[in-house]
């Protein structure tokens, strides 16, 4: 199935955080890191101009969790859990060098 988000929405594949590479202990909190799988076109401002969505497919992002202040629709597509959120809920983008923006 192909998802095509609308307006300022993005589809994210959550990435589980691991405490240790040796023991592979998964933390007991919801994931707050993910990979962008699909991006909406953007949204219109009050003058009717399209403000493009700044996110790109493949970016690794960090976002708030439901315990903090946000709640996102979660869905299962082809056996994989995905999250739909606004790009405005993204805290930062991880660079391929491991740096944050």
């Amino acid at each position: 199935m192909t998802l095509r988000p609308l307006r300022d929405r993005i589809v994210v594949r959550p990435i589980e955080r691991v405490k240790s590479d040796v023991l592979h202990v998964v933390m007991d909190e919801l994931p707050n890191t993910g990979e962008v799988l699909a991006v909406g076109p953007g949204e219109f401002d009050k003058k009717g101009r399209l403000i493009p969505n700044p996110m790109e497919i493949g970016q690794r992002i960090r976002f708030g969790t439901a315990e903090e202040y946000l709640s996102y629709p979660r869905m299962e597509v082809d056996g994989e859990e995905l999250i739909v959120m606004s790009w405005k809920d993204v805290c930062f983008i991880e660079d391929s060098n491991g740096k944050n923006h």
Side-chain angles (χ1 to χ4, degrees), residues 15-86:
I15 300 171
E16 288 285 333
R17 293 191 324 168
V18 178
K19 287 183 179 179
S20 168
D21 289 337
V22 177
L23 298 176
H24 194 73
V25 177
V26 177
M27 301 182 70
D28 58 354
E29 59 191 38
L30 288 173
N32 68 344
T33 303
E35 178 185 358
V36 177
L37 300 180
V39 177
E43 58 186 343
F44 292 96
D45 66 10
K46 293 179 182 178
K47 295 183 179 182
R49 295 177 296 204
L50 180 66
I51 301 169
N53 195 324
M55 304 303 301
E56 297 176 11
I57 294 173
Q59 287 179 316
R60 187 175 165 136
I61 61 170
R62 291 275 177 118
F63 49 91
T65 61
E67 291 89 21
E68 293 172 357
Y69 57 96
L70 300 170
S71 178
Y72 309 110
R74 293 176 181 269
M75 62 180 66
E76 189 171 315
V77 177
D78 297 332
E80 182 174 42
E81 182 186 17
L82 302 176
I83 302 172
V84 178
M85 68 178 66
S86 169

